[in-house]
Amino acid sequence: MPDTALLVIDVQQGLFEEDPPTINADSLTATINELAGRARAAGVPVIFVQHNDPWMEIRTPGWQLHSALDAREGEPRVDKQHPDSFYKTKLIDHLSGIKRLVVCGCQTDMCVDYTSRRAVALGYDVELVADAHSTCNNPILDAQTTIAFYNQMLDGFGARDGFGNGEHQIKVKPSAEIVF
């Protein structure tokens, strides 16, 4: 039984069709597909989280997983309405025996951040894939700067005090260094 799961957060059509759109759709989905293939080959579950709210309603075209994403029939899907993928969802039900989460997806500065921090607080070790999360430009920072900022800020974040002094931590690694 694997103790790791790949968590793919909110890689949905609507996030790439918004104005401004999530950047780097092609490289993001290609990297996530490559990670998912390696995870499946190692017997590691791949779990897809999908956000739904009034601007991306469940079962609408924008709510669907990105068309380039290789999501397989039977792989768990978790619906959420909050940036924290654990909040009022059934995600925890899919994590029996899991100790380590490999996290990727959208949006870096919202759902990826919230979920990664919450996972550590719940006792999971997190590996945030540095080149497999994305966001859009905002009025203060462009998307590339936001991604770089969160990669720097979250690396070493610990559950106890937020400064790497906890039992569980977030480690930021490029996809090439992720081992399933």
Side-chain angles (χ1 to χ4, degrees):
M1 187 84 176
D3 68 348
T4 299
L6 175 63
L7 189 60
V8 181
I9 302 171
D10 300 353
V11 183
Q12 295 167 256
Q13 280 300 138
L15 293 177
F16 297 87
E17 297 167 353
E18 293 283 311
D19 185 23
T22 299
I23 66 163
N24 302 328
D26 293 341
S27 63
L28 178 68
T29 55
T31 302
I32 292 172
N33 287 341
E34 191 269 332
L35 285 165
R38 289 178 21 220
R40 291 176 188 119
V44 168
V46 179
I47 302 168
F48 294 90
V49 177
Q50 288 173 269
H51 191 85
N52 70 80
D53 61 22
W55 59 270
M56 203 160 56
E57 291 184 46
I58 195 165
R59 296 189 221 340
T60 63
W63 173 84
Q64 301 299 324
L65 292 174
H66 192 282
S67 59
L69 203 58
D70 181 17
R72 306 278 174 91
E73 189 72 31
E75 290 176 325
R77 308 284 174 98
V78 176
D79 292 321
K80 68 177 182 62
Q81 295 181 325
H82 188 273
D84 175 354
S85 297
F86 291 93
Y87 182 72
K88 294 185 178 181
T89 71
K90 298 190 182 278
L91 176 57
I92 206 95
D93 296 345
H94 299 288
L95 300 177
S96 179
I98 301 298
K99 295 179 170 108
R100 173 180 155 238
L101 293 174
V102 176
V103 175
C104 57
C106 300
Q107 301 284 35
T108 299
D109 46 338
M110 293 295 293
C111 303
V112 171
D113 176 39
Y114 277 68
T115 300
S116 296
R117 291 176 192 251
R118 179 73 185 280
V120 166
L122 291 171
Y124 296 97
D125 293 315
V126 173
E127 290 183 6
L128 175 59
V129 188
D131 53 335
H133 61 93
S134 188
T135 194
C136 58
N137 294 330
N138 67 57
I140 299 170
L141 295 173
D142 65 84
Q144 292 292 4
T145 302
T146 300
I147 293 165
F149 173 79
Y150 278 88
N151 280 343
Q152 176 69 34
M153 183 181 71
L154 291 175
D155 193 29
F157 177 88
R160 187 177 313 143
D161 65 6
F163 298 103
N165 295 317
E167 183 178 341
H168 302 283
Q169 293 184 352
I170 299 171
K171 294 179 182 168
V172 179
K173 297 181 175 182
S175 58
E177 293 180 17
I178 300 295
V179 177
F180 291 106

